[in-house]
Amino acid sequence: NKSGGDGCCCSLDYMPTLADLGYDNQDIESITSPPVIDPRCALPEGYRGGETFALSRVQEYIWDLDLLRTYFDTRNGMIGSNYSTKFAPWLACGCMSPRYIARECSRYEEMRAKNKSTYWVVFELLVRDYFKLFAKKHGDAIFYPSGTTGTVRKWDIKPIRLHAWKNGMTGFPLVDANMRELNATGFMSNRGRQNVCSLLAIDLNIDWRLGAEYFEETLLDYDVASNWLNWANGAGVTGGRLNRFNIVKQSKTYDKRGEYVRLWCPELRDVPDEFLHEPWTMSDTQMNECGVTLGRDYPFPIVDPTVTPEIMSNGKGVDGSGRGRRREQGKGRGSTSKITSKGKEHAHVMKSLPTGSWQFDKTTVDS
């Protein structure tokens, strides 16, 4: 059949070209030219969409580089492509199945090693499935300002503060570095996501849905259930305890030498390590010595770091370094204090999962 007027043929045997659809040469070139990838990007080198690359990444990470063996110990990194699996973008786009990854982990355990790292990768796949089940159960309530709890909380909508958060100009170096990475590459580490969420939803008390919406716009690994429920959890609207992350402590713990902050906030590269994670503690003399003046070269903190948010004073929140510190001290749910380096006591990681409870039928056809 011919469409009216422009002479473009459309049929079951012919796929219209971009030119047929009215795009000029400049538009076509901008779409078809290889993307310019920021050299600081944490995704695998030369990454692209599709199943072929997805499967090659699984082969590389699990088998060629043997990185599955140490995943648990490296997963909180923030620089480079190999501190975590980086499977998420391809999972989110349906380029590979979580069952395939789980079966490869099972095969790895049989052929090489079984430890808490192999367990943890599969556990995180189960969490991903749990979020989908949770979303199915609660429906569009996961998009409500009160989440699934129905608890009314007065959220702020402050465009200037939201803009500063989006653009990595909050005055909190760890948050700013992560937001700049997101904007430049479409990716952010799990550690970073928890911290930027905590600042927006708890310290700034800005409607958490605005953060979730921004992640939806920018993340290459955006997944509806995982994104919105992680944000809802971070905002404390799914019924669990509210965890406020101590961003300065998190920064000092997970970026001890300041390599990540300096990578994404180059204006702070000459700030001494002792002040890098909280530059507002420098005196005027110290600022002059390192060539950074707050309010001119780098912003003052968007909110007073010494003030505890009002929401934390109602007795329902945990103020500190977040869930990570509680687990390291062997307190609270999911304590890992009794886990050996060989991962023999999986039950202490998540009490609801019996040790070695996950098994896969190798005769099942993957879907």
Side-chain angles (χ1 to χ4, degrees):
N1 298 323
K2 284 192 174 183
S3 60
D6 61 4
C8 175
C9 295
C10 298
S11 73
L12 295 177
D13 300 320
Y14 177 75
M15 177 67 71
T17 65
L18 292 174
D20 291 335
L21 297 175
Y23 292 95
D24 59 29
N25 290 335
Q26 184 176 357
D27 291 332
I28 295 172
E29 184 177 352
S30 67
I31 295 171
T32 58
S33 298
V36 177
I37 299 175
D38 193 297
R40 299 168 292 179
C41 182
L43 292 172
E45 184 177 358
Y47 76 89
R48 57 187 180 278
E51 182 185 40
T52 300
F53 190 90
L55 298 180
S56 71
R57 173 58 181 175
V58 174
Q59 173 67 31
E60 175 188 50
Y61 186 86
I62 295 180
W63 300 105
D64 299 345
L65 300 178
D66 201 30
L67 294 172
L68 178 57
R69 187 185 303 267
T70 56
Y71 170 77
F72 188 87
D73 301 314
T74 64
R75 64 197 171 97
N76 282 312
M78 288 183 285
I79 298 177
S81 61
N82 292 327
Y83 64 79
S84 64
T85 68
K86 304 300 192 302
F87 297 159
W90 291 272
L91 282 169
C93 294
C95 299
M96 73 176 155
S97 165
R99 291 183 180 182
Y100 174 76
I101 298 171
R103 281 209 302 268
E104 288 298 286
C105 290
S106 180
R107 191 160 69 92
Y108 182 92
E109 290 184 331
E110 293 176 359
M111 298 178 65
R112 295 192 182 177
K114 181 177 182 179
N115 59 22
K116 62 184 176 183
S117 291
T118 59
Y119 169 84
W120 206 258
V121 169
V122 177
F123 168 71
E124 291 185 344
L125 291 173
L126 293 175
V127 171
R128 181 177 178 273
D129 281 355
Y130 170 75
F131 280 149
K132 293 184 183 300
L133 176 64
F134 192 96
K136 178 70 174 176
K137 176 182 178 180
H138 292 280
D140 59 5
I142 68 173
F143 305 112
Y144 296 169
S146 58
T148 59
T149 64
T151 303
V152 177
R153 176 173 158 191
K154 186 176 180 181
W155 297 97
D156 292 330
I157 300 177
K158 298 180 178 178
I160 294 177
R161 287 188 167 189
L162 180 63
H163 183 268
W165 177 83
K166 287 181 177 180
N167 288 278
M169 295 296 287
T170 68
F172 290 85
L174 181 65
V175 169
D176 293 343
N178 274 282
M179 293 306 297
R180 294 180 191 188
E181 179 185 14
L182 173 65
N183 293 331
T185 70
F187 185 81
M188 185 192 297
S189 69
N190 180 62
R191 181 61 48 183
R193 297 181 198 203
Q194 294 177 84
N195 277 276
V196 303
C197 171
S198 181
L199 181 72
L200 186 76
I202 300 178
D203 290 85
L204 298 179
N205 197 47
I206 289 177
D207 190 336
W208 65 272
R209 298 174 301 165
L210 297 174
E213 181 182 56
Y214 190 66
F215 271 30
E216 180 176 343
E217 295 174 0
T218 51
L219 281 174
L220 290 176
D221 63 10
Y222 169 73
D223 174 87
V224 178
S226 296
N227 180 68
W228 284 85
L229 285 171
N230 270 311
W231 268 95
N233 283 338
V237 294
T238 56
R241 65 181 181 182
L242 180 64
N243 292 285
R244 179 192 181 222
F245 280 71
N246 183 328
I247 294 169
V248 172
K249 186 177 187 304
Q250 290 271 307
S251 189
K252 290 179 178 180
T253 300
Y254 296 103
D255 188 28
K256 188 174 182 179
R257 298 182 180 86
E259 295 168 330
Y260 180 74
V261 165
R262 290 188 174 96
L263 181 66
W264 289 102
C265 300
E267 65 269 39
L268 299 177
R269 62 182 176 272
D270 294 326
V271 175
D273 290 351
E274 61 186 300
F275 300 116
L276 182 63
H277 305 293
E278 41 188 345
W280 56 86
T281 62
M282 288 191 293
S283 66
D284 291 341
T285 300
Q286 290 164 334
M287 289 185 197
N288 289 332
E289 289 175 351
C290 63
V292 174
T293 298
L294 294 189
R296 183 192 69 188
D297 306 303
Y298 186 73
F300 285 102
I302 199 170
V303 64
D304 189 341
T306 65
V307 174
T308 300
E310 183 179 352
I311 187 64
M312 301 305 298
S313 63
N314 62 11
K316 297 181 180 180
V318 177
D319 194 5
S321 62
R323 289 170 289 182
R325 187 180 74 171
R326 293 268 167 168
R327 290 181 178 174
E328 289 165 7
Q329 294 177 342
K331 300 177 181 178
R333 297 170 294 175
S335 169
T336 61
S337 62
K338 296 184 180 179
I339 298 176
T340 67
S341 60
K342 294 183 180 180
K344 293 180 179 178
E345 300 185 45
H346 292 165
H348 291 286
V349 178
M350 181 56 66
K351 295 178 181 178
S352 61
L353 294 179
T355 301
S357 63
W358 58 275
Q359 297 292 334
F360 299 93
D361 183 355
K362 295 174 183 171
T363 65
T364 302
V365 177
D366 200 5
S367 58

